[in-house]
Amino acid sequence: KAKSIFDLASSLSGGNQQKVVFAKLLTSELDVIILDEPTKGVDVGAKSSIYEMISDLAAQGYGIIMVSSEMPEIIGMCDRVAVMREGRITAFLNRPSISQEAILQHAMADEAPLNNRA
């Protein structure tokens, strides 16, 4: 909620700053967007707006790679999850088998990591 178009993005709330970042992304010719903790530090209302933007981008054909430490965010937003432990992928989960239990099982299990494969 800027007072004028000349206000700096740094004067905006965290959620609105995130929206500015999304707007900048869309001015480039991109096929894949990597989002690292896209809703960290923003309020619930801003999170909802950001989730809606991410869903709209995916519906438009963009590939979205989201890195998040928030389990509800991963479960609610992702079609496919790569679970990691100690910097290595231990499992790939596809919807509808993405759950908190499945993610934690693969994140905490003493199992050999998968080879790097997509």
PDB file of all heavy atoms in Angstrom, residues 21-51:
ATOM      1  N   VAL A  21       8.353  -8.534  -5.971  1.00  0.00           N
ATOM      2  CA  VAL A  21       9.292  -9.501  -6.533  1.00  0.00           C
ATOM      3  C   VAL A  21       8.607 -10.342  -7.608  1.00  0.00           C
ATOM      4  O   VAL A  21       9.163 -10.562  -8.690  1.00  0.00           O
ATOM      5  CB  VAL A  21       9.889 -10.401  -5.417  1.00  0.00           C
ATOM      6  CG1 VAL A  21      10.690 -11.547  -6.011  1.00  0.00           C
ATOM      7  CG2 VAL A  21      10.756  -9.569  -4.480  1.00  0.00           C
ATOM      8  N   PHE A  22       7.383 -10.802  -7.348  1.00  0.00           N
ATOM      9  CA  PHE A  22       6.641 -11.565  -8.347  1.00  0.00           C
ATOM     10  C   PHE A  22       6.407 -10.729  -9.599  1.00  0.00           C
ATOM     11  O   PHE A  22       6.548 -11.217 -10.716  1.00  0.00           O
ATOM     12  CB  PHE A  22       5.297 -12.044  -7.787  1.00  0.00           C
ATOM     13  CG  PHE A  22       5.397 -13.308  -6.995  1.00  0.00           C
ATOM     14  CD1 PHE A  22       5.474 -13.264  -5.615  1.00  0.00           C
ATOM     15  CD2 PHE A  22       5.408 -14.537  -7.614  1.00  0.00           C
ATOM     16  CE1 PHE A  22       5.567 -14.421  -4.874  1.00  0.00           C
ATOM     17  CE2 PHE A  22       5.504 -15.709  -6.893  1.00  0.00           C
ATOM     18  CZ  PHE A  22       5.589 -15.649  -5.505  1.00  0.00           C
ATOM     19  N   ALA A  23       6.037  -9.482  -9.432  1.00  0.00           N
ATOM     20  CA  ALA A  23       5.787  -8.606 -10.578  1.00  0.00           C
ATOM     21  C   ALA A  23       7.051  -8.445 -11.414  1.00  0.00           C
ATOM     22  O   ALA A  23       6.990  -8.476 -12.649  1.00  0.00           O
ATOM     23  CB  ALA A  23       5.285  -7.247 -10.097  1.00  0.00           C
ATOM     24  N   LYS A  24       8.185  -8.307 -10.770  1.00  0.00           N
ATOM     25  CA  LYS A  24       9.456  -8.188 -11.499  1.00  0.00           C
ATOM     26  C   LYS A  24       9.750  -9.467 -12.288  1.00  0.00           C
ATOM     27  O   LYS A  24      10.230  -9.404 -13.420  1.00  0.00           O
ATOM     28  CB  LYS A  24      10.606  -7.919 -10.530  1.00  0.00           C
ATOM     29  CG  LYS A  24      10.626  -6.530  -9.959  1.00  0.00           C
ATOM     30  CD  LYS A  24      11.656  -6.491  -8.848  1.00  0.00           C
ATOM     31  CE  LYS A  24      12.514  -5.298  -8.839  1.00  0.00           C
ATOM     32  NZ  LYS A  24      13.504  -5.324  -7.755  1.00  0.00           N
ATOM     33  N   LEU A  25       9.476 -10.617 -11.675  1.00  0.00           N
ATOM     34  CA  LEU A  25       9.711 -11.884 -12.358  1.00  0.00           C
ATOM     35  C   LEU A  25       8.930 -11.964 -13.664  1.00  0.00           C
ATOM     36  O   LEU A  25       9.417 -12.477 -14.665  1.00  0.00           O
ATOM     37  CB  LEU A  25       9.293 -13.052 -11.464  1.00  0.00           C
ATOM     38  CG  LEU A  25      10.206 -13.441 -10.324  1.00  0.00           C
ATOM     39  CD1 LEU A  25       9.540 -14.496  -9.454  1.00  0.00           C
ATOM     40  CD2 LEU A  25      11.531 -13.955 -10.835  1.00  0.00           C
ATOM     41  N   LEU A  26       7.721 -11.468 -13.631  1.00  0.00           N
ATOM     42  CA  LEU A  26       6.837 -11.610 -14.778  1.00  0.00           C
ATOM     43  C   LEU A  26       7.204 -10.696 -15.941  1.00  0.00           C
ATOM     44  O   LEU A  26       6.644 -10.812 -17.020  1.00  0.00           O
ATOM     45  CB  LEU A  26       5.387 -11.398 -14.346  1.00  0.00           C
ATOM     46  CG  LEU A  26       4.905 -12.423 -13.320  1.00  0.00           C
ATOM     47  CD1 LEU A  26       3.474 -12.131 -12.909  1.00  0.00           C
ATOM     48  CD2 LEU A  26       5.044 -13.835 -13.845  1.00  0.00           C
ATOM     49  N   THR A  27       8.155  -9.788 -15.729  1.00  0.00           N
ATOM     50  CA  THR A  27       8.611  -8.939 -16.832  1.00  0.00           C
ATOM     51  C   THR A  27       9.718  -9.620 -17.622  1.00  0.00           C
ATOM     52  O   THR A  27      10.156  -9.098 -18.636  1.00  0.00           O
ATOM     53  CB  THR A  27       9.112  -7.573 -16.313  1.00  0.00           C
ATOM     54  OG1 THR A  27      10.254  -7.769 -15.470  1.00  0.00           O
ATOM     55  CG2 THR A  27       8.022  -6.838 -15.562  1.00  0.00           C
ATOM     56  N   SER A  28      10.172 -10.775 -17.175  1.00  0.00           N
ATOM     57  CA  SER A  28      11.219 -11.534 -17.852  1.00  0.00           C
ATOM     58  C   SER A  28      10.605 -12.703 -18.600  1.00  0.00           C
ATOM     59  O   SER A  28       9.507 -13.151 -18.283  1.00  0.00           O
ATOM     60  CB  SER A  28      12.226 -12.074 -16.834  1.00  0.00           C
ATOM     61  OG  SER A  28      12.765 -11.036 -16.068  1.00  0.00           O
ATOM     62  N   GLU A  29      11.344 -13.204 -19.567  1.00  0.00           N
ATOM     63  CA  GLU A  29      10.890 -14.396 -20.279  1.00  0.00           C
ATOM     64  C   GLU A  29      11.399 -15.608 -19.525  1.00  0.00           C
ATOM     65  O   GLU A  29      12.552 -15.996 -19.646  1.00  0.00           O
ATOM     66  CB  GLU A  29      11.415 -14.388 -21.715  1.00  0.00           C
ATOM     67  CG  GLU A  29      10.778 -13.304 -22.557  1.00  0.00           C
ATOM     68  CD  GLU A  29      11.225 -13.377 -24.005  1.00  0.00           C
ATOM     69  OE1 GLU A  29      11.553 -14.478 -24.485  1.00  0.00           O
ATOM     70  OE2 GLU A  29      11.236 -12.330 -24.646  1.00  0.00           O
ATOM     71  N   LEU A  30      10.530 -16.207 -18.731  1.00  0.00           N
ATOM     72  CA  LEU A  30      10.890 -17.336 -17.886  1.00  0.00           C
ATOM     73  C   LEU A  30      10.009 -18.532 -18.186  1.00  0.00           C
ATOM     74  O   LEU A  30       8.850 -18.383 -18.558  1.00  0.00           O
ATOM     75  CB  LEU A  30      10.704 -16.970 -16.410  1.00  0.00           C
ATOM     76  CG  LEU A  30      11.443 -15.765 -15.872  1.00  0.00           C
ATOM     77  CD1 LEU A  30      10.987 -15.455 -14.465  1.00  0.00           C
ATOM     78  CD2 LEU A  30      12.933 -16.023 -15.894  1.00  0.00           C
ATOM     79  N   ASP A  31      10.567 -19.714 -17.993  1.00  0.00           N
ATOM     80  CA  ASP A  31       9.778 -20.941 -18.067  1.00  0.00           C
ATOM     81  C   ASP A  31       9.665 -21.582 -16.692  1.00  0.00           C
ATOM     82  O   ASP A  31       8.688 -22.244 -16.381  1.00  0.00           O
ATOM     83  CB  ASP A  31      10.418 -21.946 -19.029  1.00  0.00           C
ATOM     84  CG  ASP A  31      10.408 -21.466 -20.466  1.00  0.00           C
ATOM     85  OD1 ASP A  31       9.424 -20.816 -20.869  1.00  0.00           O
ATOM     86  OD2 ASP A  31      11.390 -21.734 -21.185  1.00  0.00           O
ATOM     87  N   VAL A  32      10.708 -21.381 -15.879  1.00  0.00           N
ATOM     88  CA  VAL A  32      10.776 -21.978 -14.549  1.00  0.00           C
ATOM     89  C   VAL A  32      11.078 -20.882 -13.542  1.00  0.00           C
ATOM     90  O   VAL A  32      11.942 -20.038 -13.775  1.00  0.00           O
ATOM     91  CB  VAL A  32      11.862 -23.072 -14.473  1.00  0.00           C
ATOM     92  CG1 VAL A  32      11.977 -23.640 -13.065  1.00  0.00           C
ATOM     93  CG2 VAL A  32      11.589 -24.182 -15.474  1.00  0.00           C
ATOM     94  N   ILE A  33      10.372 -20.904 -12.424  1.00  0.00           N
ATOM     95  CA  ILE A  33      10.591 -19.931 -11.352  1.00  0.00           C
ATOM     96  C   ILE A  33      10.946 -20.706 -10.091  1.00  0.00           C
ATOM     97  O   ILE A  33      10.232 -21.630  -9.702  1.00  0.00           O
ATOM     98  CB  ILE A  33       9.328 -19.078 -11.110  1.00  0.00           C
ATOM     99  CG1 ILE A  33       8.964 -18.309 -12.379  1.00  0.00           C
ATOM    100  CG2 ILE A  33       9.536 -18.120  -9.939  1.00  0.00           C
ATOM    101  CD1 ILE A  33       7.613 -17.621 -12.320  1.00  0.00           C
ATOM    102  N   ILE A  34      12.066 -20.346  -9.472  1.00  0.00           N
ATOM    103  CA  ILE A  34      12.486 -20.967  -8.222  1.00  0.00           C
ATOM    104  C   ILE A  34      12.151 -20.009  -7.092  1.00  0.00           C
ATOM    105  O   ILE A  34      12.609 -18.866  -7.085  1.00  0.00           O
ATOM    106  CB  ILE A  34      13.990 -21.288  -8.229  1.00  0.00           C
ATOM    107  CG1 ILE A  34      14.311 -22.242  -9.388  1.00  0.00           C
ATOM    108  CG2 ILE A  34      14.415 -21.891  -6.893  1.00  0.00           C
ATOM    109  CD1 ILE A  34      15.795 -22.482  -9.596  1.00  0.00           C
ATOM    110  N   LEU A  35      11.349 -20.474  -6.148  1.00  0.00           N
ATOM    111  CA  LEU A  35      10.917 -19.661  -5.018  1.00  0.00           C
ATOM    112  C   LEU A  35      11.488 -20.253  -3.736  1.00  0.00           C
ATOM    113  O   LEU A  35      11.174 -21.387  -3.379  1.00  0.00           O
ATOM    114  CB  LEU A  35       9.389 -19.636  -4.949  1.00  0.00           C
ATOM    115  CG  LEU A  35       8.673 -19.136  -6.204  1.00  0.00           C
ATOM    116  CD1 LEU A  35       7.168 -19.360  -6.078  1.00  0.00           C
ATOM    117  CD2 LEU A  35       8.985 -17.680  -6.438  1.00  0.00           C
ATOM    118  N   ASP A  36      12.314 -19.498  -3.047  1.00  0.00           N
ATOM    119  CA  ASP A  36      12.935 -19.950  -1.804  1.00  0.00           C
ATOM    120  C   ASP A  36      12.236 -19.270  -0.639  1.00  0.00           C
ATOM    121  O   ASP A  36      12.345 -18.060  -0.472  1.00  0.00           O
ATOM    122  CB  ASP A  36      14.425 -19.603  -1.821  1.00  0.00           C
ATOM    123  CG  ASP A  36      15.178 -20.159  -0.627  1.00  0.00           C
ATOM    124  OD1 ASP A  36      14.593 -20.923   0.163  1.00  0.00           O
ATOM    125  OD2 ASP A  36      16.370 -19.825  -0.488  1.00  0.00           O
ATOM    126  N   GLU A  37      11.497 -20.052   0.135  1.00  0.00           N
ATOM    127  CA  GLU A  37      10.721 -19.545   1.276  1.00  0.00           C
ATOM    128  C   GLU A  37       9.876 -18.331   0.853  1.00  0.00           C
ATOM    129  O   GLU A  37      10.001 -17.243   1.409  1.00  0.00           O
ATOM    130  CB  GLU A  37      11.644 -19.179   2.446  1.00  0.00           C
ATOM    131  CG  GLU A  37      12.501 -20.315   2.967  1.00  0.00           C
ATOM    132  CD  GLU A  37      11.751 -21.353   3.783  1.00  0.00           C
ATOM    133  OE1 GLU A  37      10.575 -21.143   4.111  1.00  0.00           O
ATOM    134  OE2 GLU A  37      12.363 -22.383   4.102  1.00  0.00           O
ATOM    135  N   PRO A  38       8.972 -18.508  -0.110  1.00  0.00           N
ATOM    136  CA  PRO A  38       8.243 -17.377  -0.677  1.00  0.00           C
ATOM    137  C   PRO A  38       7.323 -16.634   0.293  1.00  0.00           C
ATOM    138  O   PRO A  38       6.972 -15.488   0.030  1.00  0.00           O
ATOM    139  CB  PRO A  38       7.444 -17.997  -1.818  1.00  0.00           C
ATOM    140  CG  PRO A  38       7.288 -19.422  -1.431  1.00  0.00           C
ATOM    141  CD  PRO A  38       8.562 -19.775  -0.708  1.00  0.00           C
ATOM    142  N   THR A  39       6.945 -17.267   1.391  1.00  0.00           N
ATOM    143  CA  THR A  39       6.026 -16.592   2.317  1.00  0.00           C
ATOM    144  C   THR A  39       6.643 -16.367   3.690  1.00  0.00           C
ATOM    145  O   THR A  39       5.923 -16.036   4.634  1.00  0.00           O
ATOM    146  CB  THR A  39       4.716 -17.393   2.476  1.00  0.00           C
ATOM    147  OG1 THR A  39       5.016 -18.664   3.043  1.00  0.00           O
ATOM    148  CG2 THR A  39       4.007 -17.552   1.139  1.00  0.00           C
ATOM    149  N   LYS A  40       7.931 -16.526   3.810  1.00  0.00           N
ATOM    150  CA  LYS A  40       8.583 -16.359   5.109  1.00  0.00           C
ATOM    151  C   LYS A  40       8.437 -14.921   5.589  1.00  0.00           C
ATOM    152  O   LYS A  40       8.742 -13.970   4.882  1.00  0.00           O
ATOM    153  CB  LYS A  40      10.063 -16.718   5.022  1.00  0.00           C
ATOM    154  CG  LYS A  40      10.749 -16.707   6.361  1.00  0.00           C
ATOM    155  CD  LYS A  40      12.134 -17.280   6.282  1.00  0.00           C
ATOM    156  CE  LYS A  40      12.695 -17.388   7.680  1.00  0.00           C
ATOM    157  NZ  LYS A  40      13.861 -18.250   7.703  1.00  0.00           N
ATOM    158  N   GLY A  41       7.930 -14.769   6.800  1.00  0.00           N
ATOM    159  CA  GLY A  41       7.837 -13.454   7.425  1.00  0.00           C
ATOM    160  C   GLY A  41       6.679 -12.590   6.971  1.00  0.00           C
ATOM    161  O   GLY A  41       6.653 -11.410   7.272  1.00  0.00           O
ATOM    162  N   VAL A  42       5.722 -13.166   6.237  1.00  0.00           N
ATOM    163  CA  VAL A  42       4.576 -12.362   5.805  1.00  0.00           C
ATOM    164  C   VAL A  42       3.329 -12.798   6.573  1.00  0.00           C
ATOM    165  O   VAL A  42       3.250 -13.915   7.077  1.00  0.00           O
ATOM    166  CB  VAL A  42       4.339 -12.450   4.276  1.00  0.00           C
ATOM    167  CG1 VAL A  42       5.557 -11.958   3.516  1.00  0.00           C
ATOM    168  CG2 VAL A  42       3.974 -13.845   3.837  1.00  0.00           C
ATOM    169  N   ASP A  43       2.349 -11.914   6.646  1.00  0.00           N
ATOM    170  CA  ASP A  43       1.131 -12.223   7.395  1.00  0.00           C
ATOM    171  C   ASP A  43       0.237 -13.182   6.616  1.00  0.00           C
ATOM    172  O   ASP A  43       0.464 -13.461   5.442  1.00  0.00           O
ATOM    173  CB  ASP A  43       0.379 -10.949   7.781  1.00  0.00           C
ATOM    174  CG  ASP A  43      -0.126 -10.168   6.572  1.00  0.00           C
ATOM    175  OD1 ASP A  43      -0.762 -10.766   5.683  1.00  0.00           O
ATOM    176  OD2 ASP A  43       0.109  -8.948   6.522  1.00  0.00           O
ATOM    177  N   VAL A  44      -0.784 -13.688   7.274  1.00  0.00           N
ATOM    178  CA  VAL A  44      -1.669 -14.705   6.711  1.00  0.00           C
ATOM    179  C   VAL A  44      -2.340 -14.208   5.430  1.00  0.00           C
ATOM    180  O   VAL A  44      -2.452 -14.951   4.446  1.00  0.00           O
ATOM    181  CB  VAL A  44      -2.727 -15.140   7.752  1.00  0.00           C
ATOM    182  CG1 VAL A  44      -3.733 -16.095   7.156  1.00  0.00           C
ATOM    183  CG2 VAL A  44      -2.059 -15.769   8.963  1.00  0.00           C
ATOM    184  N   GLY A  45      -2.782 -12.964   5.416  1.00  0.00           N
ATOM    185  CA  GLY A  45      -3.437 -12.420   4.226  1.00  0.00           C
ATOM    186  C   GLY A  45      -2.506 -12.361   3.035  1.00  0.00           C
ATOM    187  O   GLY A  45      -2.883 -12.696   1.910  1.00  0.00           O
ATOM    188  N   ALA A  46      -1.261 -11.947   3.273  1.00  0.00           N
ATOM    189  CA  ALA A  46      -0.277 -11.884   2.196  1.00  0.00           C
ATOM    190  C   ALA A  46       0.062 -13.292   1.709  1.00  0.00           C
ATOM    191  O   ALA A  46       0.241 -13.509   0.505  1.00  0.00           O
ATOM    192  CB  ALA A  46       0.977 -11.159   2.665  1.00  0.00           C
ATOM    193  N   LYS A  47       0.140 -14.256   2.631  1.00  0.00           N
ATOM    194  CA  LYS A  47       0.406 -15.640   2.235  1.00  0.00           C
ATOM    195  C   LYS A  47      -0.658 -16.124   1.259  1.00  0.00           C
ATOM    196  O   LYS A  47      -0.345 -16.726   0.234  1.00  0.00           O
ATOM    197  CB  LYS A  47       0.417 -16.577   3.455  1.00  0.00           C
ATOM    198  CG  LYS A  47       1.703 -16.599   4.198  1.00  0.00           C
ATOM    199  CD  LYS A  47       1.674 -17.661   5.280  1.00  0.00           C
ATOM    200  CE  LYS A  47       2.975 -17.628   6.050  1.00  0.00           C
ATOM    201  NZ  LYS A  47       3.131 -18.765   6.943  1.00  0.00           N
ATOM    202  N   SER A  48      -1.898 -15.849   1.575  1.00  0.00           N
ATOM    203  CA  SER A  48      -2.994 -16.271   0.709  1.00  0.00           C
ATOM    204  C   SER A  48      -2.849 -15.670  -0.685  1.00  0.00           C
ATOM    205  O   SER A  48      -3.019 -16.366  -1.693  1.00  0.00           O
ATOM    206  CB  SER A  48      -4.322 -15.867   1.343  1.00  0.00           C
ATOM    207  OG  SER A  48      -5.387 -16.231   0.517  1.00  0.00           O
ATOM    208  N   SER A  49      -2.513 -14.394  -0.758  1.00  0.00           N
ATOM    209  CA  SER A  49      -2.318 -13.728  -2.060  1.00  0.00           C
ATOM    210  C   SER A  49      -1.152 -14.337  -2.822  1.00  0.00           C
ATOM    211  O   SER A  49      -1.228 -14.541  -4.035  1.00  0.00           O
ATOM    212  CB  SER A  49      -2.067 -12.238  -1.866  1.00  0.00           C
ATOM    213  OG  SER A  49      -3.193 -11.603  -1.337  1.00  0.00           O
ATOM    214  N   ILE A  50      -0.081 -14.632  -2.106  1.00  0.00           N
ATOM    215  CA  ILE A  50       1.100 -15.211  -2.750  1.00  0.00           C
ATOM    216  C   ILE A  50       0.779 -16.610  -3.264  1.00  0.00           C
ATOM    217  O   ILE A  50       1.156 -16.975  -4.382  1.00  0.00           O
ATOM    218  CB  ILE A  50       2.301 -15.196  -1.782  1.00  0.00           C
ATOM    219  CG1 ILE A  50       2.748 -13.743  -1.555  1.00  0.00           C
ATOM    220  CG2 ILE A  50       3.448 -16.053  -2.309  1.00  0.00           C
ATOM    221  CD1 ILE A  50       3.734 -13.551  -0.422  1.00  0.00           C
ATOM    222  N   TYR A  51       0.072 -17.410  -2.468  1.00  0.00           N
ATOM    223  CA  TYR A  51      -0.328 -18.748  -2.919  1.00  0.00           C
ATOM    224  C   TYR A  51      -1.184 -18.656  -4.180  1.00  0.00           C
ATOM    225  O   TYR A  51      -1.030 -19.454  -5.104  1.00  0.00           O
ATOM    226  CB  TYR A  51      -1.105 -19.494  -1.835  1.00  0.00           C
ATOM    227  CG  TYR A  51      -0.304 -19.844  -0.603  1.00  0.00           C
ATOM    228  CD1 TYR A  51      -0.926 -19.999   0.624  1.00  0.00           C
ATOM    229  CD2 TYR A  51       1.080 -20.026  -0.648  1.00  0.00           C
ATOM    230  CE1 TYR A  51      -0.208 -20.330   1.770  1.00  0.00           C
ATOM    231  CE2 TYR A  51       1.804 -20.348   0.485  1.00  0.00           C
ATOM    232  CZ  TYR A  51       1.147 -20.501   1.690  1.00  0.00           C
ATOM    233  OH  TYR A  51       1.856 -20.834   2.817  1.00  0.00           O
TER     234      TYR A  51
END
